[in-house]
Each structure stands twice: as structure tokens, then as C-alpha cells.
Amino acid sequence: MSEQTKAGATITVEIWRGREDGHFDSFSVPHEEKQTILDVVTYIQRRIDPTVSYRFACRIGMCGSCAMMVNGAPRWTCRTHASKVLKDGKIRLQPLRNLPVIKDLVTDMTVFFDKWQKAGGRFEPSQPGSQEFAEVSPESKERAAASAGIECIGCGVCYAACDVVAWNPDYLGPAQLNRAWTLVNDVRDADRKGHLAAVAVDAGCHACHSHQNCTRYCPKSLNPTASIAGLKRATMTAALKGDL
Amino acid sequence: MSGRIELWLYVAQRLSAMVLAPLVIVHIATIIYAIRDGLTAAEILGRTEGSILWAGFYGLFVAAAAVHGAIGLRTILREMTAWRGRSLDVAASAFCLMILVMGFRAVGAVT
């Protein structure tokens, strides 16, 4: 047992309060073994200050709603152990970067999901109403590319980690482009050209600098940078063929 | 094409980079090789004047650098400042033209 998890040990937790303009409030929380960051915030809200606002739902890494900045890095807090991210016994929590703040640790995700639509993230069935299963070989190149990106839970961690979003708020974003890439590779989708056209725009896939912050912080270990590189290749090929 | 300006700029940026990469290597390697024992301006001009090879080499270099530099500068300005739109495109095109004119003048002067 480490020094920090001994009985009686406490964590100093600084939480952002307010909207864009605000301040940090400091709380002292008992440190327990295998305690997650979400546990820490829940302890504060239920035992110390009920006015602290944060968002969560599933608590098991499925819903993607509890993401926030932990000591400056975006993380899914329900699956992040406090002991892994403690710095000198302290944790600083802020709302996700690159999104408007509603209150405290809660961000307005509207722009994040609007961009999902803007990037052509809607599946267009090639056989609407069909009752038959589509046969897609698991070994096919398209299926492999789609499979690599489909486990996204829409938590917004990559969006918060992305410097291109910070520089250009119109940039579609890593999660959104990753979604588009899965549809481009979905052989059941009827509008490949439409998906490519949606991302080959100003502040689309070509604005990505391949910094790979999205890939580094993705809690599902996805690689949005690779997906975006795929979109760059696919749009370039389509354009050179005159299909775009 | 105008509706896909970012896409075509991306293509031009990558293609110009592919052209520049070997040219820069040859350029630097030539500098290192040529100045081993010291070199005067007269000696340089003696080798480059009248050379179609060097004129072609640096002509291509200037063209690729002008395209690559202008697109890169436009991107940096769009990300680091609030400057967007037509005026920025015109400014980036003017920068490209300036590099072309200055570059070809220099190539013309030594070959």
C-alpha cells in the first residue's frame, strides 16, 4: 500500500466552479484504494458541497458522459483511478477543453454532436427496409478499417485533446471524422461520395495536423488520427478521379 | 474545384513536399561537398552559368517552395490569427508570386 492510500490519507481536490469565468474551490477527500476520479467528485457532491455540478450515467466506461480534465489531461473519470493521476497528493478537475462550460464540470456538448451530423455521420442504408442480414466478410479491408473505429463512445476526450479544434473552432473534430471514416468503409452504406464530400470541406479532414493527441488520450484506445489519414487518402483519390 | 479548395491545397501541399524533399537533400549535400576546400563566388558562377541542369534544378526548387510556403503560411495564419477569407487567399497568392519572382530572378542571375 502506497503512502497515499494509507488509512487517514486525504486528497486535495481543486474543482472549477462557474462558467467560462470562475474559480477553483478546494476540497479535502479521504483517499481510498481503487477510488476513481468519479468517486472523488461524487463524494464531494454528496458529503461536502451539493452545489457541485458534474455529469455521469453508467459508471462503467460505456456512456461517455463523465469525461473531464484531470490535472490538465482529458480523461473518462469513471475508469480513472485517483492513485494513477495524483500529483503531490492533489487533483485539479476542470470541464472538458474546447467546449462551452454550462457550470462547474458540465460542458455544453451541442457543438460536438452537431459536428457529428455536419461530418456526415448518419448511416445511409443501401437497402432500406431489408430484413436480410448484410454479408460482410470480417477479413475484408473495409470491415477491418470500420471495426478499428466503431467502438467510439462519444465521450469528447479526443475533442478536448485536439489542438486543431483549439486553434480553429470550426474544425469538425477527431471523433466526428473517425465516425465518417467508419461509414466510408461500411459496404452497406449507400452514400460513400456524400460522406467524403462532407469531410472534404474547409476545416474538414485536411485541417488535421496528425499531432495524435486524440489517439494518445482516447480511453477506448482508438486511433482517430489514422481514420483521418484514411479520409485524406480517400478524398484525394476521389478528387483526382473526378468523383468529388 | 472551387468548392474543394482545401482538398486541392492539401494535394498541392503534399505534392510540392514530395518534390522538395529530394531537392533539399541534393541542395544541402552539394553545399557541404562544394565548400570543403573553400569556394568563391566566381567559382560557383563558373559551375552554374550556362548550366541547363542547375537552372532546371533550382527552377523546380523555386516553384515547389513558392507553392509549399504560401499554402503553409496561409494555414498558419488561419490557425494562429483571426484572418480568414478572400483577403487571406489573395495575400497568400501574392506571397507565392513574390517567391516565384524573387526565386526565378536569383536562378536567372546564376545560370
Side-chain angles (χ1 to χ4, degrees), chain A residues 94-171:
Chain A
Q94 292 165 272
L96 276 182
R97 180 176 171 241
N98 294 335
L99 288 164
V101 182
I102 295 174
K103 180 178 177 285
D104 302 347
L105 300 171
V106 179
T107 55
D108 183 352
M109 302 284 283
T110 306
V111 66
F112 179 78
F113 291 112
D114 281 351
K115 284 183 180 178
W116 212 278
Q117 297 293 331
K118 216 171 166 183
R122 190 186 294 271
F123 174 68
E124 302 292 346
S126 54
Q127 293 178 305
S130 170
Q131 298 296 310
E132 300 299 317
F133 283 109
E135 287 186 23
V136 183
S137 168
E139 280 82 38
S140 71
K141 198 176 130 200
E142 289 81 7
R143 176 69 234 196
S147 292
I150 55 172
E151 295 295 337
C152 174
I153 57 173
C155 62
V157 161
C158 60
Y159 194 82
C162 179
D163 282 338
V164 181
V165 177
W167 296 329
N168 182 358
D170 292 333
Y171 175 53

Side-chain angles (χ1 to χ4, degrees), chain A residues 56-129:
Chain A
F56 75 96
C58 75
R59 298 176 294 170
I60 53 169
M62 285 176 69
C63 72
S65 58
C66 69
M68 54 186 87
M69 305 299 288
V70 181
N71 283 343
R75 296 185 184 279
W76 56 351
T77 55
C78 69
R79 299 291 298 271
T80 302
H81 281 139
S83 53
K84 294 262 174 69
V85 291
L86 269 178
K87 274 188 188 161
D88 303 323
K90 284 184 186 170
I91 293 171
R92 174 173 270 208
L93 301 176
Q94 292 165 272
L96 276 182
R97 180 176 171 241
N98 294 335
L99 288 164
V101 182
I102 295 174
K103 180 178 177 285
D104 302 347
L105 300 171
V106 179
T107 55
D108 183 352
M109 302 284 283
T110 306
V111 66
F112 179 78
F113 291 112
D114 281 351
K115 284 183 180 178
W116 212 278
Q117 297 293 331
K118 216 171 166 183
R122 190 186 294 271
F123 174 68
E124 302 292 346
S126 54
Q127 293 178 305

Side-chain angles (χ1 to χ4, degrees), chain A residues 46-61:
Chain A
R46 300 205 176 159
R47 309 269 185 104
I48 307 175
D49 185 349
T51 66
V52 169
S53 298
Y54 66 114
R55 194 185 272 140
F56 75 96
C58 75
R59 298 176 294 170
I60 53 169

Side-chain angles (χ1 to χ4, degrees), chain B residues 21-56:
Chain B
L23 297 185
V24 169
I25 291 169
V26 172
H27 174 68
I28 292 172
T30 307
I31 291 172
I32 294 168
Y33 171 78
I35 62 167
R36 280 173 311 161
D37 303 316
L39 198 64
T40 65
E43 283 173 322
I44 295 173
L45 289 173
R47 291 170 196 179
T48 58
E49 278 182 335
S51 167
I52 294 169
L53 183 70
W54 283 121

Side-chain angles (χ1 to χ4, degrees), chain A residues 162-228:
Chain A
C162 179
D163 282 338
V164 181
V165 177
W167 296 329
N168 182 358
D170 292 333
Y171 175 53
L172 288 173
Q176 294 80 350
L177 292 166
N178 178 70
R179 165 67 179 166
W181 177 239
T182 63
L183 292 175
V184 164
N185 285 286
D186 192 332
V187 293
R188 304 165 305 158
D189 192 284
D191 193 19
R192 187 175 193 271
K193 188 180 167 184
H195 292 303
L196 292 179
V199 299
V201 293
D202 186 23
C205 64
H206 303 100
C208 170
H209 284 278
S210 306
H211 288 162
Q212 302 188 63
N213 277 345
C214 52
T215 303
R216 179 177 175 194
Y217 288 103
C218 176
K220 299 290 289 181
S221 301
L222 304 184
N223 190 347
T225 309
S227 298
I228 297 168

Side-chain angles (χ1 to χ4, degrees), chain A residues 167-168 197 200-202 206 209 232 235-236 239-240 244, chain B residues 3-4 6-8 10-11 14 74-75 78-80 84:
Chain A
W167 296 329
N168 182 358
V201 293
D202 186 23
H206 303 100
H209 284 278
K232 287 174 180 171
T235 50
M236 189 164 81
L240 292 173
L244 199 61
Chain B
R4 300 263 170 258
E6 297 304 318
L7 170 57
W8 288 111
Y10 172 84
V11 172
R14 265 55 189 177
R74 176 180 174 274
T75 301
R78 277 160 61 94
E79 287 177 352
M80 297 297 159
R84 305 275 161 88

Side-chain angles (χ1 to χ4, degrees), chain A residues 13 15 27 29 40-49 52:
Chain A
V13 185
I15 294 185
F27 302 93
V29 177
V40 169
V41 184
T42 301
Y43 181 93
I44 291 168
Q45 204 239 20
R46 300 205 176 159
R47 309 269 185 104
I48 307 175
D49 185 349
V52 169

